[in-house]
Amino acid sequence: LDPGTGRWHIKIDTTGEKKALKTDNLELLLAHDPGKFKSGMAVLIHGLKGAAHLNDQEGICEQWDPVKGRWNIRLPLEGIKALKPENLE
């Protein structure tokens, strides 16, 4: 957000075009769907590249974050990690 103009600077994913838009012209989209997972459910992590050391670890679904489109997963040695549903099974 540019405090001087009151506009958000955004980039359109499909075209790469950049725009400066007023807050009134934007809508918050809640990211993704929590999928088949529920709070308290045990999950196995897979497919991570940036944090590959977490792959094959088991965790517990704590809470879905609809804004980030991620589950907060409690891991025994790593604490809470925010992970996408596609990286859980």
Side-chain angles (χ1 to χ4, degrees):
L1 177 64
D2 181 337
T5 63
R7 293 179 181 251
W8 290 90
H9 294 273
I10 64 159
K11 181 179 175 184
I12 312 274
D13 285 343
T14 55
T15 64
E17 185 179 8
K18 295 179 181 178
K19 296 275 186 183
L21 301 174
K22 294 178 185 176
T23 301
D24 292 345
N25 295 327
L26 297 173
E27 177 182 345
L28 175 64
L29 298 178
L30 299 181
H32 309 290
D33 176 351
K36 61 185 178 185
F37 307 103
K38 306 281 182 230
S39 293
M41 183 181 230
V43 292
L44 183 68
I45 299 168
H46 67 90
L48 296 177
K49 294 183 176 107
H53 67 284
L54 298 178
N55 290 329
D56 298 321
Q57 287 193 37
E58 291 184 1
I60 301 293
C61 291
E62 292 283 319
Q63 185 177 20
W64 171 248
D65 184 334
V67 174
K68 293 181 180 176
R70 294 173 184 251
W71 273 100
N72 291 320
I73 306 296
R74 180 174 299 283
L75 300 170
L77 301 175
E78 300 281 339
I80 302 285
K81 299 291 180 186
L83 301 171
K84 296 177 183 176
E86 55 261 35
N87 294 116
L88 304 172
E89 61 182 49

